[in-house]
Amino acid sequence: MVLLAIFALLPLGCGGDGQPTLFTRDRLNVGVKNDQPGTSVWDSYNRSGFDIQLAYRLADAEGVKPIKVRFDDVPSGDRVQSLKDNRVDLVIATFSMTPARMTDIDFAGPYAVTYQGFLVRKGGPPIKTIDDLKGATVCTWTGTTSESEIQRRPDIYNKSMNAAQDCINALQSGQVTAVSTDQLILYGFAHHDPSHTLEVVPDVTIGAPNYYGVGINKAHRPDCKKLADDLQKYVASSSWQADFLLAFPDLADGDKWTNFRPKPEYVSSWSCRDKLPN
């Protein structure tokens, strides 16, 4: 009887340490991109892409019905602040897990890994090494790790723009030689390019690999740990491969897709921390 009385006094819909959980609210607000084919795009009143599918997978794992998942557009430079201001509950937007960001927010992940690469126009000057871009103008968009990486190269001119599509337009019009961001994003743009004039340089990358995580406010660490458990199972499952190849069919040949799949053990060791493990 004493135990029953104690349980009756416990708050409903709380996380493991008594904090309210995000997954019992009327809506789960997820910040996403709207202009990245393959990962997350808004087209004809429909959202699609690997990040969108992941949002539904996680919602389902936590008992949230699809009708309760609401997507909000977040530009790259606003992803951290949108979580800190509680404008969104989660950010699933090709969001790289970096030490600087982990001081401000939590991540569950990684759920994908990619190097930074280059998108060019077909038939242009051949690019076989990073040195072939010396003196060239390369477009990136603000608030991304890609922008920071290119700016570290004084021999490459960086044209920074507000959004991904701005860079794609600049490339198609010849204003820039290449667009640089994560290869995974670039493969999405190349596949969905209606003019079929763009291609990813397959073997030229720059910088360290980027690991994508699900961003969440640090006040909700119990929920972060739930997501980490869900992601570890997902990354190791056949569902990850099915969702990935649906979003990126060009990577289905051979074992190319395996380069973008993180090790499941990374999820348990990297998630919900204030800094990356040594």
Side-chain angles (χ1 to χ4, degrees):
M1 292 297 293
V2 173
L3 289 175
L4 289 174
I6 292 173
F7 285 129
L9 293 173
L10 291 176
L12 297 176
C14 291
D17 63 354
Q19 294 181 8
T21 176
L22 299 171
F23 306 123
T24 56
R25 296 179 176 180
D26 290 337
R27 288 189 180 276
L28 181 67
N29 297 313
V30 183
V32 296
K33 296 296 187 69
N34 64 5
D35 60 351
Q36 292 180 180
T39 55
S40 182
V41 69
W42 167 264
D43 184 34
S44 301
Y45 300 98
N46 179 56
R47 291 189 189 270
S48 62
F50 189 52
D51 285 353
I52 301 300
Q53 184 60 31
L54 174 61
Y56 284 123
R57 292 277 190 186
L58 293 175
D60 181 67
E62 292 303 324
V64 179
K65 295 180 179 180
I67 195 171
K68 289 190 174 183
V69 180
R70 174 181 175 179
F71 294 106
D72 293 311
D73 299 333
V74 289
S76 294
D78 198 35
R79 289 175 293 190
V80 170
Q81 199 60 46
S82 66
L83 287 168
K84 294 175 69 174
D85 293 343
N86 294 309
R87 283 179 275 142
V88 294
D89 300 319
L90 308 175
V91 169
I92 307 178
T94 56
F95 203 5
S96 296
M97 303 170 70
T98 67
R101 289 169 178 165
M102 291 174 78
T103 63
D104 290 322
I105 62 168
D106 273 351
F107 282 102
Y111 64 87
V113 57
T114 177
Y115 278 89
Q116 180 177 341
F118 299 90
L119 185 71
V120 297
R121 295 185 303 277
K122 293 179 180 179
I127 299 174
K128 297 183 178 180
T129 71
I130 191 69
D131 290 337
D132 291 330
L133 288 167
K134 286 183 177 180
T137 300
V138 175
C139 190
T140 60
W141 45 100
T142 55
T144 63
T145 54
S146 306
E147 178 186 44
S148 302
E149 195 64 49
I150 291 296
Q151 290 176 348
R152 293 192 185 100
R153 295 287 304 233
D155 53 347
I156 298 176
Y157 297 105
N158 176 226
K159 186 177 182 64
S160 185
M161 306 193 82
N162 291 327
Q165 192 58 51
D166 294 335
C167 277
I168 298 300
N169 294 341
L171 177 61
Q172 290 174 323
S173 64
Q175 298 177 49
V176 298
T177 301
V179 172
S180 184
T181 192
D182 300 341
Q183 276 192 326
L184 195 58
I185 297 172
L186 297 179
Y187 274 112
F189 278 118
H191 179 76
H192 292 274
D193 171 34
S195 67
H196 305 291
T197 59
L198 304 180
E199 63 182 356
V200 179
V201 181
D203 300 318
V204 178
T205 62
I206 185 173
N210 289 317
Y211 292 87
Y212 294 160
V214 177
I216 185 171
N217 191 299
K218 283 187 177 294
H220 296 285
R221 183 154 287 186
D223 284 338
C224 181
K225 292 178 179 179
K226 292 179 183 179
L227 293 175
D229 289 341
D230 298 335
L231 282 173
Q232 188 169 26
K233 295 173 186 175
Y234 175 63
V235 167
S237 73
S238 60
S239 296
W240 187 97
Q241 181 182 352
D243 292 345
F244 185 87
L245 293 181
L246 179 64
F248 301 100
D250 292 346
L251 295 172
D253 294 338
D255 60 354
K256 289 181 181 178
W257 61 272
T258 62
N259 296 325
F260 300 92
R261 187 177 199 167
K263 296 179 179 179
E265 56 265 31
Y266 285 4
V267 181
S268 59
S269 60
W270 290 17
S271 293
C272 316
R273 301 172 61 100
D274 297 325
K275 61 180 181 181
L276 288 171
N278 295 327

